[in-house]
Amino acid sequence: MIGHLIDRRYLITQRLSSGGFGETFLAQDTRFPGNPLCVVKQLKPASNNPKHIEKAQQLFNREAEALAQLGSYEQIPRLLAYFTEGDDFYLVQEFIEGHTLEAELQPEQRWLEEQVIQLLKEVLTILVYVHAHGVIHRDIKPANIMRRQQDSSLVLIDFGAIKQVRIQPDGSGEFSLAAPGTRIGTVGYMPTEQARGKPRPCSDLYALGMIAIQALTGLHPTQLEDDSQTGEVRWQHLVNADPRLMDVLNRMTRYQFRDRFQSAAEALQALEQALQQTPPTPAPLPIPDPTLIPELIHEMTLQWVEGGQAHSQVIYPNQPSCHLGSIRIGRDPTRCDIVLSDITVSGLHVEIFFNAQDRSFYVRNLRETNPPLVNGQLLPYGDRQLGQGSTLRLGNIDLHVSMIVLRQYPPGHSPLTPRQPTPVAEPIVQTSKPPDGSLPYPPETPPNHQGGYMPDFAAQPLGVLPVQPVAVPLEATQPPKMKPGKNFWGLWLMATVLSFSITGFVFSTGRGFLDGPALGLNILINLIIGLAIGSAQWFVLQTVLPRSTGWIVATSLGLSLGALIEQLLPIVVQGTVVGGVLGMSQWFILRQKRSQTAWWILVQILCYWGIWFSPGIVSGLAPRLVLASLIYGAITGGGLVWLLRQPVSREEA
């Protein structure tokens, strides 16, 4: 799905999550100015039976309409669109920038009562609205409650598991995209009736109550004991909280659903009454800022050997440096953050930056001469992704990416100006272990959050997490793309001329030796010429547009299809047809990398008109082929240089 355009509008850029009912993706709305981010949910029916699919279509439309009504509430993501493609159903929702409560509910860290009360008030108010529209969420958990960055408000997300119901006096209901009796929910937050496939509005209240208990105790619900006689959760002995608040939570999390609050409005009213009865305390505890949560920061460790000494440097997003948003490497200490003394290294050689959209580190070449090698491959222009184990060669110096981790730091941490690389003892792969023993990290001294650097014992990180996709991308400043210039145009021209001229000359002179129908032979020849030209051009293009292998297929198919169509049309329009078909094929590849590229079709038509009139300028087969390839390579190369030098939005980066 990554890189696919669905509904001819939403470009899938990243998978966020997957489950039994489908998958969730991050996408760009290509029809809206600025290509804003949105969330696309792909829902799969429970059965392939045509009758079931037809019924699922009706239920899907009904649920989408319910989501559209819910989205008018400011603390629920807006539904932007819903549609079907094939047998799959798609929902497109507003992208919420922020973090989930999972980041705030750290193990063995307890919230203050005031924070828990505020959580209950906000989410109960949302549930009053949700339940009033006949909807049960069924999967309320910390990962589905977000703290919106804009105003720190809580937002209830992921209604992919909702069940639209007609709420009866006893709380029963009907209609579901899932098969009857299907269990939807998360262990620890799911009450017994929901586990049996019969959720009720008070099932959402149970889940929210368990989140509040988790915040008070610092323990995940699965770590709490149950009473063997009654089935009730035993947690009261673990906290010293206000009895009134504990009573409300006890009522929300009763084992029997009949003993709970039957509506969010009832629970909210009971909470407010309990607060009104609470006597004022002479010295209330200050409520800490809930946004001061542990920082999660991607870190990449770069290691190398120079002058017989091993060195190590940690690189992370938004790291203050000579050039905002990147770490530059070279011999010039006035322009570089990592200074190498080897004479084969250029003064300003490369820069490393963090891409917030795919949460990956990239290296970008800053030299038209003396280009770097990335994993043994030349990088003459543009940038290339770095992974754990990647090797970057600058002159005679090899730099190794020994580790990429998502590290957790104390609240208030802020990146600092990188110091000189740390010399480390041989062997270069040696690492130390954090005190919690979670994952190894390099011997580079971690920065603290107040300024300067501190010894390991004074500034240990809270832990290291594996680098995995999360629902909300981390913010980072990304530098502009490298601008291709005359060298790119020269390489493109050379590749086009050589491939065009050689294959054209071979087939033109050897055509008499080939047998077969003229039409089929012409299509085959154009297919092979297209493969040759497309491969040569791709070799140059991939240096500035990674993952553009489709260019080879587009070029070969475009030329062969154009050759087929031109046989059916008058000779005066054949150049326009071939150029138009080839242009549309290549445009399909370019539009996935850059927006507003339809003019490329006109560029190809212009090229073929130039090729069409070139025989009248020179005589002889070889000169004509060279002139035609020069015209084609010069015009297309110039068009690409202009396109790639245009400003790139962060979504396209």
Side-chain angles (χ1 to χ4, degrees):
M1 282 291 292
I2 306 301
H4 287 195
L5 191 72
I6 60 173
D7 198 33
R8 300 182 179 180
R9 176 171 185 172
Y10 303 103
L11 179 62
I12 303 298
T13 61
Q14 178 185 335
R15 178 182 284 106
L16 298 179
S17 63
S18 61
F21 294 91
E23 296 180 288
T24 302
F25 302 92
L26 190 65
Q28 298 175 5
D29 187 347
T30 60
R31 294 187 188 175
F32 202 83
N35 294 347
L37 293 175
C38 56
V39 175
V40 175
K41 298 183 180 181
Q42 179 190 38
L43 307 177
K44 296 181 180 295
S47 169
N48 292 326
N49 186 302
K51 293 183 179 179
H52 292 171
I53 292 178
E54 181 181 358
K55 180 62 176 178
Q57 174 73 66
Q58 299 174 0
L59 298 176
F60 168 74
N61 292 336
R62 191 172 298 170
E63 293 215 26
E65 292 171 0
L67 282 177
Q69 294 178 352
L70 293 179
S72 62
Y73 192 73
E74 62 177 359
Q75 289 175 273
I76 296 176
R78 289 182 295 113
L79 180 69
L80 304 178
Y82 64 95
F83 54 89
T84 60
E85 282 193 2
D87 292 337
D88 294 334
F89 310 116
Y90 293 89
L91 296 170
V92 183
Q93 289 183 287
E94 174 189 9
F95 170 73
I96 303 297
E97 189 171 9
H99 62 266
T100 68
L101 284 190
E102 277 188 320
E104 299 185 23
L105 291 170
Q106 297 298 314
E108 299 184 2
Q109 292 187 10
R110 303 187 178 194
W111 285 23
L112 297 174
E113 289 183 29
E114 291 83 351
Q115 293 175 274
V116 175
I117 292 172
Q118 184 62 30
L119 164 69
L120 291 172
K121 281 184 175 181
E122 285 199 58
V123 181
L124 282 174
T125 302
I126 299 173
L127 289 178
V128 168
Y129 180 84
V130 170
H131 293 167
H133 284 78
V135 171
I136 302 174
H137 189 283
R138 290 202 295 179
D139 198 18
I140 293 180
K141 56 185 177 180
N144 286 339
I145 301 175
M146 292 195 63
R147 178 84 64 186
R148 186 162 52 199
Q149 180 175 318
Q150 177 184 356
D151 55 8
S152 296
S153 297
L154 296 181
V155 178
L156 186 59
I157 65 170
D158 197 0
F159 283 78
I162 68 166
K163 178 179 181 181
Q164 182 178 350
V165 298
R166 294 173 181 168
I167 297 178
Q168 306 297 335
D170 61 352
S172 62
E174 57 183 346
F175 303 128
S176 175
L177 271 179
T182 300
R183 186 180 73 176
I184 301 175
T186 302
V187 176
Y189 306 100
M190 177 173 51
T192 53
E193 75 277 1
Q194 185 172 331
R196 294 193 297 265
K198 298 180 179 180
R200 302 167 182 270
C202 63
S203 303
D204 286 345
L205 302 184
Y206 179 94
L208 176 58
M210 293 307 301
I211 295 175
I213 293 173
Q214 179 180 353
L216 282 175
T217 63
L219 298 176
H220 190 274
T222 55
Q223 297 176 281
L224 301 173
E225 298 180 354
D226 293 338
D227 189 297
S228 58
Q229 300 297 324
T230 64
E232 304 291 351
V233 179
R234 298 179 64 251
W235 62 277
Q236 298 83 354
H237 63 289
L238 300 174
V239 300
N240 183 21
D242 189 306
R244 297 172 182 82
L245 174 60
M246 296 173 66
D247 287 343
V248 172
L249 294 179
N250 285 335
R251 182 88 181 272
M252 292 177 67
T253 57
R254 289 296 185 195
Y255 180 79
Q256 296 291 341
F257 69 85
R258 295 182 182 87
D259 297 333
R260 299 184 210 131
F261 298 113
Q262 294 303 299
S263 68
E266 184 183 357
L268 182 60
Q269 181 180 7
L271 177 65
E272 291 175 344
Q273 289 177 352
L275 294 178
Q276 291 174 359
Q277 297 171 5
T278 302
T281 56
L285 293 174
I287 302 176
D289 186 352
T291 62
L292 293 180
I293 61 173
E295 302 272 354
L296 297 177
I297 299 178
H298 287 78
E299 291 185 357
M300 182 183 77
T301 302
L302 205 59
Q303 296 182 325
W304 68 98
V305 176
E306 186 178 20
Q309 177 68 56
H311 299 271
S312 173
Q313 178 67 52
V314 172
I315 298 174
Y316 46 87
N318 293 330
Q319 192 170 6
S321 58
C322 295
H323 183 79
L324 181 62
S326 67
I327 297 297
R328 293 191 163 184
I329 307 175
R331 284 192 300 113
D332 187 350
T334 63
R335 296 186 293 169
C336 298
D337 306 289
I338 299 178
V339 180
L340 305 177
S341 58
D342 192 285
I343 194 171
T344 61
V345 178
S346 300
L348 180 60
H349 211 136
V350 298
E351 64 181 359
I352 295 176
F353 65 92
F354 181 76
N355 187 329
Q357 297 300 316
D358 59 10
R359 293 181 296 284
S360 299
F361 289 92
Y362 285 78
V363 60
R364 175 179 292 128
N365 179 25
L366 301 179
R367 296 286 301 177
E368 293 189 357
T369 58
N370 193 23
L373 292 174
V374 181
N375 298 326
Q377 295 185 352
L378 197 66
L379 181 62
Y381 298 98
D383 47 58
R384 192 166 297 165
Q385 186 174 359
L386 295 173
Q388 188 161 306
S390 294
T391 299
L392 172 63
R393 186 175 183 85
L394 305 180
N396 293 331
I397 302 295
D398 287 327
L399 300 97
H400 303 272
V401 179
S402 63
M403 183 176 298
I404 297 179
V405 296
L406 182 60
R407 197 182 300 279
Q408 181 174 290
Y409 282 103
H413 167 81
S414 60
L416 304 169
T417 304
R419 58 176 178 175
Q420 289 298 318
T422 304
V424 297
E426 297 286 1
I428 196 168
V429 296
Q430 180 179 353
T431 61
S432 58
K433 298 187 72 174
D436 59 5
S438 53
L439 287 177
Y441 57 88
E444 171 71 23
T445 303
N448 70 12
H449 64 281
Q450 294 180 348
Y453 278 77
M454 297 178 65
D456 286 347
F457 65 83
Q460 292 290 358
L462 297 179
V464 180
L465 308 175
V467 179
Q468 296 178 346
V470 294
V472 183
L474 302 176
E475 288 299 316
T477 303
Q478 180 169 336
K481 286 283 183 183
M482 182 69 177
K483 307 297 186 183
K486 60 182 180 181
N487 283 354
F488 172 85
W489 181 83
L491 289 173
W492 178 272
L493 181 63
M494 181 175 66
T496 303
V497 170
L498 290 177
S499 58
F500 193 117
S501 302
I502 294 174
T503 54
F505 184 80
V506 169
F507 282 108
S508 296
T509 56
R511 189 172 185 131
F513 299 99
L514 301 175
D515 295 326
L519 179 59
L521 193 59
N522 190 40
I523 295 174
L524 177 61
I525 290 174
N526 278 274
L527 180 65
I528 298 174
I529 293 176
L531 282 172
I533 297 175
S535 299
Q537 291 178 340
W538 169 80
F539 184 77
V540 181
L541 182 63
Q542 57 92 24
T543 62
V544 293
L545 281 183
R547 300 181 293 277
S548 55
T549 315
W551 187 268
I552 303 175
V553 178
T555 304
S556 58
L557 291 181
L559 274 177
S560 56
L561 184 60
L564 171 64
I565 298 176
E566 72 173 352
Q567 303 295 323
L568 309 176
L569 298 172
I571 192 170
V572 294
V573 296
Q574 289 180 1
T576 303
V577 171
V578 176
V581 173
L582 177 59
M584 284 189 289
S585 300
Q586 294 177 340
W587 165 75
F588 184 77
I589 303 301
L590 288 177
R591 69 190 290 267
Q592 300 180 40
K593 305 292 182 179
R594 295 288 190 274
S595 58
Q596 300 178 352
T597 54
W599 53 268
W600 182 257
I601 302 174
L602 298 178
V603 170
Q604 289 289 350
I605 294 175
L606 178 62
C607 290
Y608 270 85
W609 273 105
I611 295 173
W612 186 264
F613 290 110
S614 62
I617 302 176
V618 295
S619 59
L621 176 60
R624 288 177 178 177
L625 287 172
V626 172
L627 178 60
S629 62
L630 282 171
I631 293 173
Y632 180 70
I635 296 177
T636 56
L640 276 176
V641 169
W642 182 86
L643 170 65
L644 298 174
R645 291 180 67 89
Q646 299 309 301
V648 181
S649 66
R650 187 171 64 181
E651 288 79 9
E652 293 176 325

